[in-house]
Amino acid sequence: MTVKNKRVIHIIFRLAFIAADVFVFILLGVLLMGYEDQYDVSKGEYWSLGSMNTSEKIIYLSFYAWLILNIVAGIFISAGIYRKWKYNRS
């Protein structure tokens, strides 16, 4: 396998990884829409955990866990790019 083929495979893998990440965000967002459709004022304040049933709480917490995971991954990726950039400059 040539270097060019490996590079293309890495690019395709990274694009697939990004697409999967976006898909999870879309999926969790669509699932959260169920809360908005079924929200009742008598259950409590809007978007409070008290006004959600168990599955909505799991989806809500999963959404924020996925968001935090993406922030941490972004920090690690940025640090790796910075280290590579700094190493190539010297």
Side-chain angles (χ1 to χ4, degrees):
M1 185 176 277
T2 65
V3 174
K4 188 175 182 179
N5 288 344
K6 286 182 182 180
R7 189 164 182 87
V8 169
I9 290 172
H10 282 114
I11 291 171
I12 291 171
F13 176 75
R14 289 177 183 155
L15 290 175
F17 190 77
I18 292 169
D21 183 56
V22 170
F23 175 76
V24 170
F25 266 119
I26 291 171
L27 179 67
L28 290 172
V30 169
L31 291 172
L32 279 174
M33 289 172 66
Y35 169 77
E36 292 188 20
D37 292 340
Q38 303 299 325
Y39 172 71
D40 185 15
V41 179
S42 65
K43 291 182 179 178
E45 188 175 337
Y46 190 61
W47 285 112
S48 68
L49 290 176
S51 67
M52 297 179 184
N53 62 30
T54 305
S55 63
E56 291 167 344
K57 288 178 186 177
I58 292 170
I59 296 166
Y60 178 78
L61 295 174
S62 297
F63 179 79
Y64 281 102
W66 192 254
L67 187 63
I68 291 169
L69 182 70
N70 273 276
I71 290 170
V72 170
I75 291 169
F76 277 109
I77 291 169
S78 298
I81 291 171
Y82 175 73
R83 275 188 252 128
K84 189 173 184 179
W85 176 74
K86 185 178 176 184
Y87 178 75
N88 287 338
R89 282 188 73 200
S90 55

